[in-house]
Amino acid sequence: MAGKFKMPSIKDVEQEENKDTAVKEKFKVGAGLLSDVSKGSVVMKITNIPREQIEKNPNNKYSISGIPSLAESIKTYGLGEPLNVVATENGTYKLLGGERRLTAIDMLIADEAVTEWNETTLLPCVVKNLNDIKLDLSQENKERYAIITTNKEQRTYSDGDTYMELQEWKKIVEELRSKGIEYIDGVDEDGNEKPIAIKGEKTRDILSRTTGISRGQVNKFETVHNKGSEKLKDALLGGKISVSTAAKAAKKLPDAEQDAIAEAAEQGKEITGADVEDRVRERLNVTPAMFRKDIENIFTAIKEKEISLDGHEQEKYHFHINQLEHLFRGHK
């Protein structure tokens, strides 16, 4: 029988003041995925680690913004929340959560006028152990899972963050399915444990449950992922265009037009659904140049080889030629 596992939720963080190098902090964690020693209300140490021993994580693809104001806040008030890291084999630590905070700290370190921050400054960190995630996942997907759950409690999501997270969840769900996992336990809006079925469920329904967004919104993100041009996806990931506008462009415009919208967004123009509709209307005004471009592939195919059509194909050919003729003659 396939194993059944639960998804942890970390909540009700209660900090205790302590001036020692290792400060103690209480976490109430959900049962299930974490090892027995980590269940319930337990004391977890915060370890102070020099900045020079912490590596940024290339797998953390969440957006970062507002760094200058955050740096000023840290400079004035200190670091309000610890970083989340995992130990590496070479004796350093890799970041799981806290990319914005670490980036702001690096800005302070680079500022020659700020003398109290440097590469040896000790930063409060919670050191995670990926083996505490009791899901039958590869280390790569356990790290993915840790990044997602750690960041979920620490940030306000952009549409780009949600899009990225959906793609990461799909990799996790794919592995869970391949290993016969039937469900993982999630938490509903009221904080009550509620199972999320894996077996027999559509991926989009699972994504809706794991991310907490509606099925309709998941559909929009998937429309962009499946039909959008690479430039359109990059604009969404970079927070330059909303998912609603990007999904409309992906459904209604060819790649070249999607690219044009994405490039305009990258240059700072605010792109809305109305802009997409304007481009759709422009495409309805057929010019000779547009017609030549649309049938370019047909001319290319004819040039490359002689086309022989059977009786049924000839009927289709003449039917569509007549349809085009009537279409254009009707718009004099």
Side-chain angles (χ1 to χ4, degrees), residues 81-100:
E81 295 285 344
L83 306 176
N84 287 271
V85 299
V86 61
T88 68
E89 293 180 355
N90 60 13
T92 61
Y93 296 86
K94 185 161 57 172
L95 194 67
L96 291 176
E99 182 88 10
R100 289 183 69 247

Side-chain angles (χ1 to χ4, degrees), residues 289-307:
M290 183 183 295
F291 182 71
R292 283 193 295 270
K293 183 176 180 181
D294 287 341
I295 65 173
E296 184 177 339
N297 289 337
I298 298 176
F299 278 118
T300 300
I302 293 175
K303 287 178 182 178
E304 289 177 351
K305 59 181 179 179
E306 184 177 341
I307 307 295

Side-chain angles (χ1 to χ4, degrees), residues 228-240:
S229 69
E230 291 305 313
K231 287 186 177 180
L232 187 67
K233 294 175 190 177
D234 288 342
L236 176 58
L237 282 169
K240 304 297 183 181

Side-chain angles (χ1 to χ4, degrees), residues 104-120:
I105 289 168
D106 287 343
M107 179 177 285
L108 294 175
I109 292 173
D111 188 345
E112 294 180 357
V114 181
T115 58
E116 62 268 35
W117 291 89
N118 55 60
E119 288 290 339
T120 60

